[in-house]
């Protein structure tokens, strides 16, 4: 299973831990703008770096280039964000999973843009798991279907939200608050802060786009 980790240039304290990913065999690291320098600081050699790199000093940029020659540098004036360009690069590796980090702190417009990009790409590439992770949370979108959710000590709580339209026929199993054929309407907070009971839980639904957020206490 190929996993691509895309590190963007948000506040460094918002990055997810890279320790688990370092242990994987099929792992690709991509740095988006300042995220490339963050990877090098962590002792990780980026497989590719993407962006306009306007947030790096010349010294920092040269330090990154010393680690990888696979770079795509763009003009500052462009239609796509650096994160978007890095996500498109990630898809060229034909991954089963893309993890985006470094987008949840700092500027809220960058965070909202990243969420919308993940949403758009998830709809376009349903066979790829796209996630946003930081030090305390993991976010991903589900399309209609049935999903097994594995218990994870890092993320005790899980919450579900409708994104764009009502989520219909929602059935939750092996969780503290189970439901059968209910709906998650736009604007509701009713499905916030559930917990998996045992090794796995599950969610199924027939229509809509469901946003799941898993969080540490």
């Amino acid at each position: 299973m190929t996993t691509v980790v895309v590190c963007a240039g948000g506040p460094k304290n918002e990055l997810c831990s890279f320790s688990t990913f370092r242990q994987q065999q099929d792992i690709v690291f991509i740095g988006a703008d300042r995220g490339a320098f963050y990877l090098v600081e962590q002792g990780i050699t980026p497989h590719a770096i993407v962006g306009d790199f306007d947030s790096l000093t010349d010294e920092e940029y040269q330090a990154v280039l010393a680690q990888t020659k696979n770079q795509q540098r763009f003009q500052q004036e462009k239609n796509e964000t650096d994160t978007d360009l890095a996500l498109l690069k990630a898809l060229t590796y034909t991954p089963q999973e893309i993890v985006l980090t470094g987008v949840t702190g700092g500027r809220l417009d960058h965070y909202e843009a990243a969420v919308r990009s993940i949403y758009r790409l998830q709809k376009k590439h349903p066979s790829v798991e796209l996630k946003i992770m930081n030090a305390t949370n993991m976010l991903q979108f589900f399309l209609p279907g049935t999903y097994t959710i594995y218990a994870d000590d890092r993320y005790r709580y899980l919450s579900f939200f409708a994104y764009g339209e009502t989520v219909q026929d929602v059935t939750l199993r092996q969780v503290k608050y189970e439901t059968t054929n209910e709906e998650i309407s736009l604007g509701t907070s009713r499905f916030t802060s559930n917990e998996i009971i045992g090794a796995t839980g599950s969610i199924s639904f027939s229509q809509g786009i469901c946003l799941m957020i898993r969080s540490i206490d």
Side-chain angles (χ1 to χ4, degrees):
M1 171 175 156
T2 300
T3 296
V4 179
V5 177
V6 175
C7 183
K12 193 157 45 173
N13 63 350
E14 286 288 317
L15 298 179
C16 68
S17 171
F18 296 118
S19 58
T20 301
F21 299 115
R22 289 173 188 266
Q23 300 170 16
Q24 294 181 218
Q25 294 292 324
D26 296 325
I27 188 75
V28 173
F29 289 98
I30 297 177
D33 200 70
R34 190 164 189 80
F37 185 67
Y38 290 159
L39 290 175
V40 171
E41 281 188 316
Q42 294 270 341
I44 297 171
T45 299
H47 293 77
I49 60 173
V50 179
D52 55 33
F53 303 105
D54 62 343
S55 65
L56 295 182
T57 66
D58 185 63
E59 182 180 359
E60 290 169 337
Y61 183 60
Q62 293 305 317
V64 172
L65 286 183
Q67 297 296 318
T68 180
K69 298 303 180 183
N70 187 353
Q71 62 119 354
Q72 290 180 281
R73 189 165 193 175
F74 296 83
Q75 297 295 323
Q76 292 184 34
E77 293 77 21
K78 57 189 183 301
N79 293 327
E80 301 86 358
T81 66
D82 291 332
T83 299
D84 280 336
L85 293 169
L87 289 171
L88 292 175
K89 180 69 174 180
L91 287 167
T92 67
Y93 290 90
T94 318
Q96 292 176 279
E97 179 184 46
I98 296 175
V99 175
L100 174 61
T101 191
V103 296
T104 56
R107 289 178 54 174
L108 291 179
D109 57 340
H110 284 176
Y111 167 64
E112 181 64 22
V115 172
R116 290 175 182 271
S117 294
I118 292 294
Y119 165 75
R120 173 175 49 81
L121 291 175
Q122 187 64 83
K123 290 183 68 177
K124 188 174 182 179
H125 302 276
S127 64
V128 181
E129 288 188 18
L130 291 113
K131 303 172 181 176
I132 292 176
M133 294 178 63
N134 63 16
T136 55
N137 301 276
M138 188 274 288
L139 174 159
Q140 73 181 111
F141 288 100
F142 290 140
L143 305 178
T146 299
Y147 300 87
T148 298
I149 307 169
Y150 294 91
D152 189 330
D153 291 339
R154 295 174 299 171
Y155 306 114
R156 178 180 175 184
Y157 298 102
L158 63 161
S159 302
F160 302 96
F161 305 94
Y163 199 86
E165 60 181 294
T166 297
V167 181
Q168 298 183 0
D169 302 317
V170 179
T171 296
L172 295 169
R173 290 290 181 264
Q174 285 81 56
V175 293
K176 188 173 182 178
Y177 307 107
E178 293 191 339
T179 66
T180 301
N181 295 333
E182 297 195 28
E183 70 174 32
I184 306 175
S185 59
L186 289 172
T188 186
S189 59
R190 181 185 162 211
F191 289 78
T192 303
S193 199
N194 212 327
E195 299 177 53
I196 295 174
I197 305 299
T200 64
S202 68
I203 181 173
S204 64
F205 60 98
S206 64
Q207 186 173 331
I209 305 293
C210 183
L211 169 63
M212 180 180 72
I213 300 177
R214 303 190 66 173
S215 303
I216 294 173
D217 188 5

